Amino acid sequence: MIRHELSALRGQDQLTPELVFRDPYVLDFLGLKDRYLDKDLEDAILRELKSFLLELGAGFAFFARQRHIQIDNDDFYIDLLFYHRSLHRLIAIDLKLGNFKAVQGPDGALPALAG
C-alpha cells in the first residue's frame, strides 16, 4: 500500500522531503554530552547504527561513511550515505554542529558520487 502511494506521488512529481523525513530527529540514545564535535556525533551514530536507522524511519539502508565526491577539482566527503529503498534514492547526511552550507553543481543538482 505504501509503495503504491509513493509510486503515485512520484509519478505526479509530488514526493517532497517532508513526506519522507522527520523533523526533528531525537538522538538522545547516542548518549552524547552537552559539548561534542562533528566526529563524535558520526562515531556515536555508527556505534548505534540500528537505533539511528529506526529513528530515520522505514526504508533506509546504510551505504557508506566518508564517501568521496569531487566538485570542480575540490574534494569533499559525505559523512554518512544511505539508500532509501522506496524512493530509490541516495540520501546524503552531512553532520554539522554549526551552520550548514549546501554544495551544488552548476546546474543546481548535487554532484555525482566519485569513485
Side-chain angles (χ1 to χ4, degrees), residues 68-86:
H68 177 253
I69 61 173
Q70 193 171 42
I71 304 170
D72 298 328
N73 294 323
D74 291 327
D75 293 318
F76 298 92
Y77 293 87
I78 298 171
D79 293 329
L80 300 172
L81 189 60
F82 294 88
Y83 182 77
H84 195 281
R85 296 178 309 200
S86 298

Side-chain angles (χ1 to χ4, degrees), residues 78-98:
I78 298 171
D79 293 329
L80 300 172
L81 189 60
F82 294 88
Y83 182 77
H84 195 281
R85 296 178 309 200
S86 298
L87 298 176
H88 304 286
R89 300 282 188 269
L90 289 171
I91 308 297
I93 297 180
D94 190 33
L95 301 168
K96 296 293 178 220
L97 299 180

Side-chain angles (χ1 to χ4, degrees), residues 36-44 79 94-98:
Y36 50 88
L37 303 172
D38 295 355
K39 173 100 173 78
D40 299 328
L41 178 58
E42 182 179 336
D43 289 342
D79 293 329
D94 190 33
L95 301 168
K96 296 293 178 220
L97 299 180

